Amino acid sequence: MTLPLERRCPLDPPEGLRQLREDRPITRLTYPGGHVGWLVTSYSAVRAMLADNRFSARKGLGRSPIHDMPSDPRMMEPGFFVTHDPPEHTRYRKVLTGEFTVRRMKDLVPRITEHTEQFLDEMLRQGPPADLVQSIGLPVPSMVICELLGVPYDSRATFQSSAAVLLNLGTTPEQYMAAMSELRELIADLVTRKRVEPGDDLISRLVAPGDLTDLEVLNISYLLLLAGHETTAHMLTLGTYALLTHPDQWAKLVESPELVDNAVEELMRYLSIAHIGPVRTALEDVVLEGHLIKAGESVTASVPAANRDPLQFPDPDRLDVTRSASGHVGFGHGVHQCIGQQLARIEMRIVYTALLRKFPGLRLAVPAEEITMRDDMVIYGLHRLPVAW
């Protein structure tokens, strides 16, 4: 079988994943190009696989479950830590850990709040209808990651357009290479400048000790910039769409805004915007819940299926902002768990809280079925979210 991608409901995992999870939670998967590997859909198996260092994240080993595009060798360069295994991955992770502590993220709250209020006030001034993706979804995470890294905010058009190409499932190898080169060139120029004129930002702090090469700083910054705005941006807007199409849950949050922290975790579980993968490759023969995964075989973990596993989350297809969704795998699991998850949580809490306070009567400006989903992208979400109030 091939990876199921078609959805009956835009907020539910693709058709077929539920039945697979119930009947064959670890099943054979045919990858583009003919490689036969595995698909893992149960919560327990996904967590076990992602926590097992015998499964490698190295890009040159794994196969994509959706296209047969050749691996870009730049994605295996020093500093591209998401494609490294320990101990290389551990070294880069250690460098970054201090930058993403809960305390340091809390220090960003005043600025994130200020940006959120400014963008929402502008939305109010312009009046309805508004596209929430352009009004708040992209601007807040982009502004925050720019300030954190030390990237000029007026560069956002470049990195947002490059990201759109890099994350599009229909991108050709030539388009991918060109977009990656454009984004890397922007960051490389910035790294060179920070060595001469450092500022109070993450890139300057990576450059200052002299322990990392320019190439390492470039690749680390590339990953943080790409992931730091795309994922949160579309989580913010898809989460709002989910709440507006479940008006009882929106009303519950309007009445009890203290539930927002809980709602963020539930939305991460319910929506699982990283809807394709992650993919790992067995470095040796591994028995995973009774199945022999042979060395060299690729394994795709279905995060959406795992986060809807009834053995872990009772009544999993129901959105419930009062639910304890602790333990969801929306941020991944194991050594590669999202390093920026605390920043993402804070941004979502601040934006959702402000939206509920300023726009308690927020509603969709078009019928729900007219809204186009990002099922053509690596990061799921909405291309536009027209709203009124």
Side-chain angles (χ1 to χ4, degrees), residues 86-98:
E88 294 90 352
H89 173 268
T90 308
R91 181 170 77 89
Y92 294 121
R93 190 86 178 196
K94 186 176 180 181
V95 169
L96 291 171
T97 297

Side-chain angles (χ1 to χ4, degrees), residues 73-372:
R74 291 174 295 185
M75 297 177 72
M76 291 166 272
E77 291 176 344
F80 216 99
F81 60 93
V82 296
T83 64
H84 296 335
D85 297 331
E88 294 90 352
H89 173 268
T90 308
R91 181 170 77 89
Y92 294 121
R93 190 86 178 196
K94 186 176 180 181
V95 169
L96 291 171
T97 297
E99 296 289 342
F100 290 94
T101 61
V102 173
R103 176 180 295 179
R104 189 178 284 275
M105 292 304 98
K106 285 183 177 178
D107 290 342
L108 298 176
V109 166
R111 288 292 288 157
I112 298 173
T113 302
E114 180 183 346
H115 293 321
T116 299
E117 295 292 328
Q118 288 175 347
F119 287 123
L120 289 180
D121 285 345
E122 178 62 19
M123 193 169 111
L124 270 172
R125 188 189 67 79
Q126 292 188 7
D131 173 13
L132 211 63
V133 173
Q134 296 299 324
S135 296
I136 193 73
L138 280 170
V140 170
S142 296
M143 179 73 82
V144 171
I145 200 64
C146 281
E147 290 192 358
L148 183 68
L149 291 175
V151 176
Y153 185 59
D154 58 14
S155 299
R156 67 191 182 280
T158 298
F159 68 73
Q160 285 175 2
S161 63
S162 295
V165 174
L166 291 167
L167 298 175
N168 192 304
L169 299 179
T171 294
T172 66
E174 294 75 21
Q175 291 170 329
Y176 188 95
M177 298 291 187
M180 190 177 192
S181 295
E182 182 178 40
L183 186 53
R184 285 168 62 93
E185 184 178 340
L186 183 155
I187 299 171
D189 289 345
L190 196 60
V191 171
T192 300
R193 207 177 323 144
K194 296 293 182 181
R195 286 211 180 271
V196 179
E197 300 176 3
D200 183 19
D201 54 70
L202 195 152
I203 293 179
S204 295
R205 288 191 289 275
L206 291 176
V207 164
D211 298 331
L212 299 173
T213 66
D214 281 4
L215 181 61
E216 289 174 310
V217 176
L218 162 63
N219 286 325
I220 290 171
S221 304
Y222 171 92
L223 288 172
L224 295 178
L225 182 61
L226 186 62
H229 79 280
E230 272 286 326
T231 50
T232 307
H234 296 292
M235 188 62 225
L236 285 171
T237 48
L238 186 62
T240 303
Y241 173 79
L243 291 170
L244 295 180
T245 54
H246 293 77
D248 60 321
Q249 299 301 299
W250 177 267
K252 196 170 289 187
L253 289 175
V254 170
E255 294 167 7
S256 305
E258 68 276 7
L259 289 173
V260 164
D261 287 11
N262 211 72
V264 165
E265 302 305 316
E266 171 66 347
L267 288 166
M268 285 295 302
R269 178 201 72 83
Y270 185 76
L271 298 172
S272 302
I273 60 168
H275 65 136
I276 300 170
V279 180
R280 300 287 186 264
T281 303
L283 295 174
E284 59 186 78
D285 289 359
V286 182
V287 176
L288 180 64
E289 296 194 350
H291 291 77
L292 175 62
I293 313 295
K294 293 184 178 180
E297 291 185 328
S298 296
V299 186
T300 294
S302 176
V303 170
N307 276 337
R308 296 288 188 98
D309 190 335
L311 296 180
Q312 182 66 26
F313 304 102
D315 197 7
D317 295 326
R318 179 171 58 90
L319 177 63
D320 180 3
V321 296
T322 67
R323 179 202 304 270
S324 173
S326 176
H328 68 78
V329 288
F331 288 114
H333 184 61
V335 297
H336 284 280
Q337 190 173 37
C338 175
I339 196 168
Q341 61 183 283
Q342 297 305 333
L343 177 59
R345 284 186 169 103
I346 287 172
E347 289 184 58
M348 286 188 279
R349 290 166 186 166
I350 290 172
V351 172
Y352 287 141
T353 298
L355 265 178
L356 291 159
R357 173 172 46 83
K358 287 178 175 284
F359 300 89
L362 195 70
R363 66 183 188 278
L364 298 179
V366 299
E369 58 271 18
E370 292 184 13
I371 293 177
T372 305

